[in-house]
Amino acid sequence: MSAAREPGTGAEGALRLEVGWDGEAVQTVRVASTRPLAVTRLLEGIEPAEMLRRVSLLYAVCAEAQTAAATAAIAAARGQDLAPSEARASELRVAGESAHEHLFHVRVGLPGAIGGATDSQGLSPLSRMRSAMREAPADGGACAVVLREALTER
């Protein structure tokens, strides 16, 4: 039997986000990390395109979100803003990744957790959804169609 431990006290560390909300808009954001920083050495002194490639490989969990953050960081370091179309496309890829993860847990993980049969058939439309949303233009309508198809397909 293993002892329970406080989240973020293991080797993986933790990321703590605090968002100040005034009821209408985000006013402040604070980020605190206890994650090991040794991996950042793999990103030092390389071209931005190579850094983005490595980020998506290093951070398999939430690769789209990690890549979006790295892309924004590169632009900020250059004193630039992302082009609106690039920012929108990035936002939709992250939303697609998040939707995929949530739907995966609902369609595949949740039934097993409550004693039902796991819906392994639910994986195919989710995989197609994720692929399509990665390739989709920065068009919320096209992404909504892909998401709707993934939700209704059996």
Side-chain angles (χ1 to χ4, degrees):
M1 184 166 154
S2 64
R5 65 177 171 83
E6 186 70 23
T9 58
E12 74 280 2
L15 187 62
R16 180 180 171 93
L17 303 172
E18 293 180 21
V19 179
W21 178 258
D22 70 0
E24 292 184 26
V26 172
Q27 298 298 310
T28 59
V29 176
R30 289 189 8 202
V31 179
S33 177
T34 62
R35 291 183 172 173
L37 298 177
V39 73
T40 61
R41 286 189 213 116
L42 297 171
L43 304 174
E44 291 176 357
I46 60 174
E47 293 296 319
E50 177 61 16
M51 186 190 86
L52 292 174
R53 188 187 74 75
R54 288 185 189 183
V55 163
S56 68
L57 296 172
L58 288 169
Y59 298 102
V61 175
C62 301
E64 293 292 343
Q66 296 288 349
T67 301
T71 300
I74 290 168
R78 291 176 170 162
Q80 302 169 340
D81 291 325
L82 292 177
S85 62
E86 185 179 0
R88 180 69 176 149
S90 180
E91 178 183 314
L92 291 171
R93 284 192 303 273
V94 172
E97 178 178 68
S98 179
H100 176 273
E101 292 302 314
H102 285 85
L103 291 170
F104 175 85
H105 290 292
V106 168
R107 292 186 84 173
V108 179
L110 183 61
I114 60 174
T118 300
D119 180 10
S120 60
Q121 296 299 317
L123 292 174
S124 180
L126 291 177
S127 295
R128 284 195 298 278
M129 177 199 81
R130 189 162 185 187
S131 294
M133 289 187 87
R134 280 186 186 136
E135 301 301 319
D139 175 359
C143 289
V145 169
V146 171
L147 181 57
R148 184 173 50 248
E149 288 172 357
L151 288 170
T152 58
E153 183 178 333
R154 290 300 277 153

